[in-house]
Amino acid sequence: MLLPAIEIPQEGSRKDILSAAAQCFMDRGYTETSIDDVARRLGATKGRVYHHFASKADLFAAIFRTGLEMDYAAIAPHRHAPGPAVARLRSMAVAHCRQIIVSRPYQRVVWQGVQMLLRGTTNPELRNELGLLNDGRDGYERIFRDELERARVEGALRFDNLSLAVSLMFVTLNSPVFWYAPRAGETEADIDRLVFQVVTHAMRGLGSTED
Amino acid sequence: MLLPAIEIPQEGSRKDILSAAAQCFMDRGYTETSIDDVARRLGATKGRVYHHFASKADLFAAIFRTGLEMDYAAIAPHRHAPGPAVARLRSMAVAHCRQIIVSRPYQRVVWQGVQMLLRGTTNPELRNELGLLNDGRDGYERIFRDELERARVEGALRFDNLSLAVSLMFVTLNSPVFWYAPRAGETEADIDRLVFQVVTHAMRGLGSTED
């Protein structure tokens, strides 16, 4: 047979399925998305989706996990940088906010998953898996939380309640999942400028006196 | 007959239905809420709900409208106050954020409605009505937007992009719809303290130099 590759899952096909599914979940939410929708958006058969993912819950959890891994990867080059905590926090905030924008469908699924856990509207199949992933997300938030506290001790930030400060910072940095939409002709520099404004807003909100 | 009142819709019953439905929509979202759920939460019959609202879409739109009316009412005493724009903005922000907290289920429905419009997942029945209500919401945002611009001209706020600044301010002030939960024994003073911290965070984010 000359073209056996046709029968072998293409490289990147798992990622293609994840991206198509993330778009579907972002557009219609978990409940209203079916494997049929995902296959249709992908221009593939349901069989191809089921070859990689046993269920819709599996697919949702895989997107949550991937989104979270992207976030960890984004801040990895910055989180152990030397210097004052406030500078490290700003670098991490820039990397995080940029990641939110460039992987918006994945990040929106992370947000949906957290909301489902908070509202208790997960099914049993999803609850355990999302619960574990949410622990991973707590760990991610703790990295920022620790820097916030260090920066306050170092006198570079001013806030009363650490937990509230962390929540409000993430609300701002994550907000592009709700309002960002790519524009025709948008450049990397345009995104950088947008990220700069969001991060500046967040840092000022935390009582940064850097500017 | 001695107790004819039993046959007459009680005073406040329309409001009771709205509040029960707002809770249902907040907990489970629009799609997964049925009139049955609303009646069950209310401890009433479906008939009582249908006596006041023709459909689930009707109910949802009425909650959106009520939430928006609450917001307008909350800022009414402040929006024409004399003095610098930044002080007026702060008073309005305090009134708005407090309203978000005390009428959280309604405000969550407003947020859900806006998201449904953005994602295009409304049904035709809802789309027109929500579209009109959303215009009302734009008008509400414009009241804040105008004060932001005045405060910037007066030198009390610093930001590059007015639209982005308005979005990020509302993201922060509205964020209690996601993270606030009433605590046992919570006092009015506790809520005031919480509102103060959220508003201070938002004002600082806008580049306020007031503190």
Side-chain angles (χ1 to χ4, degrees):
Chain A
M1 209 185 206
L2 273 172
L3 293 166
I6 274 173
E7 298 296 320
I8 296 169
Q10 304 155 292
E11 202 175 329
S13 70
R14 192 174 184 277
K15 189 166 170 294
D16 292 346
I17 296 169
L18 285 181
S19 290
Q23 281 282 350
C24 291
F25 288 132
M26 177 168 76
D27 289 349
R28 310 195 57 82
Y30 182 74
T31 312
E32 299 217 28
T33 296
S34 68
I35 295 284
D36 266 324
D37 296 328
V38 175
R40 204 173 305 123
R41 184 178 286 256
L42 202 56
T45 61
K46 271 165 72 164
R48 182 165 160 217
V49 178
Y50 280 121
H51 180 76
H52 290 274
F53 300 96
S55 66
K56 182 168 85 165
D58 245 36
L59 199 43
F60 191 83
I63 295 166
F64 191 129
R65 178 186 299 279
T66 305
L68 192 57
E69 285 170 354
M70 287 169 170
D71 294 344
Y72 270 102
I75 64 164
H78 308 285
R79 57 183 283 209
H80 300 297
V86 71
R88 205 157 40 244
L89 179 65
R90 182 178 252 277
S91 303
M92 283 163 37
V94 166
H96 175 80
C97 185
R98 202 173 210 295
Q99 188 59 50
I100 293 290
I101 288 176
V102 301
S103 60
R104 194 167 72 104
Y106 287 82
Q107 306 298 336
R108 179 86 184 216
V109 165
V110 171
W111 184 85
Q112 285 171 346
V114 172
Q115 290 297 311
M116 285 160 71
L117 283 170
L118 286 176
R119 305 199 296 201
T121 53
T122 55
N123 52 43
E125 193 185 358
L126 256 178
R127 198 173 306 123
N128 287 341
E129 184 65 14
L130 286 192
L132 282 172
L133 289 169
N134 203 34
D135 290 346
R137 197 182 133 273
D138 285 347
Y140 181 77
E141 288 203 4
R142 220 171 303 121
I143 297 168
F144 284 80
R145 185 187 176 94
D146 291 347
E147 294 300 341
L148 251 76
E149 185 54 19
R150 274 186 211 110
R152 173 162 71 168
V153 170
E154 292 173 6
L157 296 181
R158 297 165 298 149
F159 50 81
D160 290 333
N161 181 314
L162 178 59
S163 296
L164 183 59
V166 172
S167 292
L168 295 177
M169 181 197 70
F170 273 112
V171 154
T172 301
L173 297 179
N174 292 341
S175 66
V177 299
F178 300 121
W179 54 255
Y180 173 75
R183 290 187 195 180
E186 193 171 48
T187 64
E188 290 293 303
D190 292 333
I191 294 181
D192 287 341
R193 206 155 23 238
L194 194 57
V195 169
F196 176 82
Q197 290 179 74
V198 175
V199 171
T200 297
H201 187 101
M203 295 299 290
R204 284 179 178 168
L206 294 168
S208 166
T209 50
E210 61 181 344
D211 65 342
Chain B
M1 208 182 206
L2 273 172
L3 292 166
I6 274 175
E7 297 296 320
I8 296 169
Q10 305 154 289
E11 202 175 329
S13 70
R14 193 173 183 277
K15 189 166 170 294
D16 292 345
I17 297 169
L18 285 180
S19 290
Q23 281 282 350
C24 291
F25 288 131
M26 177 168 77
D27 289 349
R28 310 195 57 82
Y30 181 74
T31 312
E32 298 217 28
T33 296
S34 67
I35 295 283
D36 266 324
D37 296 328
V38 176
R40 204 174 305 123
R41 186 178 285 258
L42 202 56
T45 61
K46 272 165 72 164
R48 182 166 160 215
V49 179
Y50 281 121
H51 180 76
H52 291 275
F53 300 96
S55 66
K56 183 168 84 164
D58 245 35
L59 198 43
F60 190 83
I63 295 165
F64 191 130
R65 178 185 300 279
T66 305
L68 191 58
E69 284 169 355
M70 288 169 169
D71 294 345
Y72 270 102
I75 65 165
H78 308 285
R79 57 184 283 209
H80 300 297
V86 72
R88 203 158 40 246
L89 180 64
R90 182 178 251 279
S91 304
M92 283 164 36
V94 165
H96 175 81
C97 185
R98 203 173 208 295
Q99 188 58 51
I100 292 291
I101 288 176
V102 301
S103 60
R104 193 167 72 104
Y106 288 81
Q107 305 299 336
R108 179 86 185 218
V109 165
V110 171
W111 185 85
Q112 286 171 346
V114 172
Q115 290 297 312
M116 287 160 70
L117 282 170
L118 286 176
R119 305 200 296 201
T121 53
T122 55
N123 52 43
E125 191 185 358
L126 257 177
R127 198 172 306 123
N128 287 341
E129 183 64 13
L130 287 192
L132 282 172
L133 289 169
N134 203 34
D135 290 346
R137 197 182 132 274
D138 285 346
Y140 182 77
E141 288 204 5
R142 221 172 302 122
I143 298 167
F144 283 80
R145 185 187 175 95
D146 290 348
E147 294 301 341
L148 251 75
E149 185 54 19
R150 274 186 212 111
R152 173 160 70 167
V153 170
E154 291 173 7
L157 296 180
R158 297 164 298 149
F159 49 80
D160 290 334
N161 181 314
L162 178 59
S163 295
L164 183 60
V166 172
S167 291
L168 294 177
M169 181 197 71
F170 273 113
V171 154
T172 301
L173 297 179
N174 292 340
S175 67
V177 299
F178 299 121
W179 53 256
Y180 173 76
R183 290 188 196 180
E186 192 172 48
T187 64
E188 291 292 304
D190 293 333
I191 294 180
D192 287 341
R193 208 157 20 239
L194 195 57
V195 169
F196 176 82
Q197 291 180 74
V198 175
V199 170
T200 297
H201 187 101
M203 295 298 291
R204 284 178 177 168
L206 294 168
S208 166
T209 51
E210 62 181 344
D211 63 343

